[in-house]
Amino acid sequence: MELRDAVLRRRMVRRFDPSVPVEMEVVRDLVALAVRAPSAGFSQGWDFVALLNPQDRAAFWAAADDGGPADAWLRGVSAAPALVLCLSDAGAYLDRYAQADKGWVDRSPDRWPIPYWDTDTAMAAMIILLGAQDAGLGALFFGIPGQRHDAVREAHGIPEDRRLVGVIALGTPAARAAHTGGSPRTRPRRPLGDVLHAGRFGGWSGASA
């Protein structure tokens, strides 16, 4: 699939067919693409935890449970046969930029007004979403409730110094999954003329598409 086609066709899928598994080799291929994402200083401060067997996924959903109702979203997404936890590692960046060619010897996070460890991991996650589209899979990126991060880390042996940037659900979309629910049905896409600025904010509205 051409990149433009993958971008235009990609949708967040919220209902999956649990009867069709995702093989580890497929996840391996997607992560192999993801690690080609850019990273500041080539720090590569990311890790990915694949949950493919039912026991691991059940442990995740139990740990991530914030006590809310088992609504349609949860029923649809928890049916996904594969989950990929996307983790960032701040220490990898602090260590990298304390090296001689960078020279920030104090390793202070204050030098990072934008936490690039999270940014780079999110870019890697976007590659997984596009790779899933190319592979004919449905995918959804979602977050874990803040108060459940420690429980999820404990459930899957994730070190405390890793941040849970998000989770990608992978699988075969259930029937009509791409056409049911989701914000795009109630919120229009912002026109290019509203989001593209030239020279200064609000300085150009020449792109109306």
Side-chain angles (χ1 to χ4, degrees), residues 4 16 32 55 57 80 101 108 112 117 145-146 148 160 174 195 204:
R4 178 176 293 273
F16 294 88
Q55 295 79 13
R57 295 196 305 276
D101 61 325
S108 173
W112 298 84
W117 37 92
R148 305 306 302 166
E160 291 186 2
V195 299
W204 183 55

Side-chain angles (χ1 to χ4, degrees), residues 112-160:
W112 298 84
I114 304 301
Y116 265 61
W117 37 92
D118 294 340
T119 300
D120 293 348
T121 301
M123 287 194 281
M126 184 72 242
I127 290 179
I128 292 178
L129 295 179
L130 292 173
Q133 177 67 37
D134 186 56
L137 293 173
L140 172 71
F141 182 87
F142 65 95
I144 299 167
Q147 70 272 24
R148 305 306 302 166
H149 280 217
D150 288 344
V152 171
R153 273 194 289 265
E154 182 177 355
H156 299 290
I158 298 169
E160 291 186 2

Side-chain angles (χ1 to χ4, degrees), residues 39-156:
S39 67
F42 205 41
S43 301
Q44 305 171 78
W46 44 48
D47 293 278
F48 304 89
V49 179
L51 308 179
L52 302 185
N53 71 58
Q55 295 79 13
D56 287 338
R57 295 196 305 276
F60 168 80
W61 289 113
D65 183 8
D66 64 354
D71 56 12
W73 184 94
L74 181 59
R75 289 192 296 272
V77 177
S78 63
L83 299 174
V84 180
L85 313 186
C86 303
L87 316 177
S88 68
D89 178 6
Y93 290 74
L94 302 182
D95 289 344
R96 172 68 184 96
Y97 277 77
Q99 293 177 357
D101 61 325
K102 299 297 184 183
W104 293 357
V105 294
D106 58 9
R107 297 184 76 256
S108 173
D110 294 340
R111 293 184 179 275
W112 298 84
I114 304 301
Y116 265 61
W117 37 92
D118 294 340
T119 300
D120 293 348
T121 301
M123 287 194 281
M126 184 72 242
I127 290 179
I128 292 178
L129 295 179
L130 292 173
Q133 177 67 37
D134 186 56
L137 293 173
L140 172 71
F141 182 87
F142 65 95
I144 299 167
Q147 70 272 24
R148 305 306 302 166
H149 280 217
D150 288 344
V152 171
R153 273 194 289 265
E154 182 177 355
H156 299 290

